[in-house]
Amino acid sequence: MQVYDVIIIGAGPGGLAAGLYAGRSRLNTLLIEKEKDGGQIVITSEIENYPGCLDEESGSSLIARMTKQVEKFGVERVKDNIEKVDFTGDTKVLYGKNGEYHARAVIIATGAFPRPIGCPGEKELIGKGVSYCATCDGNFFEDMDIYVVGGGDTAVEEAMYLTKFGRKVTVIHRRDELRAAKSIREKAFKNPKMNFMWDSVVTEIGGDGMVEYMVVKNVKTGEETRIDAPEEDGTFGIFGFIGFLPQSGMFEGAVELENGYIPTNEKMETNVPGVFAVGDIRVKDVRQVVTAAADGAIAALMAEKYLEH
Ligand code: NAP
């Protein structure tokens, strides 16, 4: 049975930074990712707030460079979905769909996934007009109407990116004030292609094989409006950016959770010795690429110290 020094679960910015530091420290490291590297950041069209990233840096181009750097330091990689863990012994056991993995220390970097809008018809029409990724799907709506649900930084930034494609982008927000940072709001209000539907929520999405209509309710007046796709287009895009859900189900009972997020101290230690958590899965105020990467570096160095003792 192979026992790694460290296993990192998740290859977003936090997991990749942890991999880089663990690899560089010559720890025998395995990085497990269930899908593609990058996590949420690969769905970000433009990154202008990660130090060193200048114009034209996208989430996926930044992640591609991070992945390459991790490979350079000899970190082993495996594609698997961890479904259960046992952190009770000195050797931690991870049970994946494809196999079982053992390590003396574990760094959890599983992040979070987009929260669904939560209305009838949404699930059935994912990829058929409903999307959670502007970079992936924006170009399907060239010169069409696009709607974005949400009022935070992500919703407003991605809505502005989508103005490159759509003839009109409408942000549907449940309040009459955006949550997005002032600098982002100001840019959005100046963009002539941007429109806002305030105090509104989407209550239904429908269509035969693709989005053809949706129903939007004004939460103040209770009035419901049905929005149909213009005849010449036949469809329109609905992008949901209303926050994220932590991917921590597999750690229930194994590590302390707070509303699904993992509390740590500033060394990224969880309540279980030898188990660390980094990035968006942590209880924290600022969820950014730069903070996830910093968490990853700290966790790997602290894991090294833990293993020495
Ligand atoms: P967020 O800040 O949690 O905003 C979520 C938005 O969705 C809020 O406007 C919220 O409305 C709305 N919402 C939540 N649940 C809803 C529901 N069930 N139905 C309708 N609307 C709903 O999420 P985020 O924008 O993804 O940002 C996450 C974190 O990443 C934040 O810390 C943010 O600052 C950061 N971020 C930073 C940048 C940047 O600095 N450039 C870019 C992207 C993200 P209310 O406002 O009414 O609560």
Side-chain angles (χ1 to χ4, degrees), residues 6 31 64 101-102 120 129 151 153 170 182 197 214 223 241 282:
V6 188
L31 177 57
Y101 310 91
H102 303 84
D153 288 344
T170 306
K182 196 166 170 243
M197 268 175 107
M214 71 176 159
E223 190 190 339
F241 297 113
R282 277 180 66 214

Side-chain angles (χ1 to χ4, degrees), residues 51-94:
C53 285
L54 290 172
D55 305 345
E56 306 296 316
E57 181 84 72
S58 69
S60 48
S61 66
L62 176 64
I63 288 298
R65 287 190 286 118
M66 286 189 183
T67 299
K68 214 167 159 192
Q69 207 177 2
V70 169
E71 281 163 6
K72 189 173 128 188
F73 289 105
V75 170
E76 254 182 70
R77 304 286 313 254
V78 72
K79 197 170 180 176
D80 203 351
N81 188 359
I82 301 303
E83 295 176 321
K84 212 173 74 172
V85 296
D86 181 353
F87 290 159
T88 50
D90 279 344
T91 300
K92 325 285 179 220
V93 191
L94 312 179

Side-chain angles (χ1 to χ4, degrees), residues 111-132:
F113 60 83
R115 183 195 301 277
I117 298 165
C119 68
E122 174 185 15
K123 213 170 149 198
E124 294 74 16
L125 291 166
I126 291 174
K128 296 165 185 158
V130 175
S131 171
Y132 310 93

Side-chain angles (χ1 to χ4, degrees), residues 49 151-154 157 173-175 179 242-244 287-288:
N49 56 358
D153 288 344
T154 308
E157 281 194 334
H173 184 36
R174 64 180 177 184
R175 293 187 292 133
R179 177 179 293 277
I242 59 169
F244 299 93
R287 293 195 169 87
Q288 298 277 300

Side-chain angles (χ1 to χ4, degrees), residues 27-238:
L27 297 177
N28 183 13
T29 307
L30 176 69
L31 177 57
I32 303 177
E33 167 60 48
K34 70 171 160 49
E35 284 164 10
K36 278 192 294 191
D37 283 13
Q40 291 167 55
I41 200 64
V42 290
I43 65 175
T44 301
S45 39
E46 196 185 328
I47 300 198
E48 51 179 23
N49 56 358
Y50 187 78
C53 285
L54 290 172
D55 305 345
E56 306 296 316
E57 181 84 72
S58 69
S60 48
S61 66
L62 176 64
I63 288 298
R65 287 190 286 118
M66 286 189 183
T67 299
K68 214 167 159 192
Q69 207 177 2
V70 169
E71 281 163 6
K72 189 173 128 188
F73 289 105
V75 170
E76 254 182 70
R77 304 286 313 254
V78 72
K79 197 170 180 176
D80 203 351
N81 188 359
I82 301 303
E83 295 176 321
K84 212 173 74 172
V85 296
D86 181 353
F87 290 159
T88 50
D90 279 344
T91 300
K92 325 285 179 220
V93 191
L94 312 179
Y95 302 93
K97 257 198 177 117
N98 307 330
E100 209 177 288
Y101 310 91
H102 303 84
R104 293 197 290 142
V106 171
I107 299 175
I108 299 171
T110 45
F113 60 83
R115 183 195 301 277
I117 298 165
C119 68
E122 174 185 15
K123 213 170 149 198
E124 294 74 16
L125 291 166
I126 291 174
K128 296 165 185 158
V130 175
S131 171
Y132 310 93
C133 175
T135 26
C136 317
D137 298 326
N139 60 337
F140 295 135
F141 303 101
E142 192 88 50
D143 287 327
M144 292 191 198
D145 291 342
I146 297 176
Y147 295 85
V148 165
V149 182
D153 288 344
T154 308
V156 181
E157 281 194 334
E158 295 310 296
M160 277 191 291
Y161 170 75
L162 286 165
T163 60
K164 290 185 189 178
F165 305 100
R167 72 171 150 244
K168 188 174 116 184
V169 177
T170 306
V171 172
I172 302 174
H173 184 36
R174 64 180 177 184
R175 293 187 292 133
D176 60 2
E177 193 187 2
L178 294 174
R179 177 179 293 277
K182 196 166 170 243
S183 58
I184 298 173
R185 282 197 313 252
E186 281 173 358
K187 269 196 206 165
F189 290 141
K190 275 192 202 142
N191 187 322
K193 277 192 173 180
M194 293 277 288
N195 296 273
F196 296 87
M197 268 175 107
W198 302 111
D199 301 312
S200 300
V201 293
V202 178
T203 54
E204 189 189 335
I205 301 170
D208 187 12
M210 61 182 177
V211 170
E212 288 167 354
Y213 73 91
M214 71 176 159
V215 180
V216 178
K217 182 177 169 183
N218 184 304
V219 292
K220 282 196 175 150
T221 62
E223 190 190 339
E224 290 199 318
T225 311
R226 181 179 153 126
I227 298 173
D228 285 291
E231 220 167 279
E232 65 273 24
D233 301 337
T235 189
F236 55 81
I238 307 171

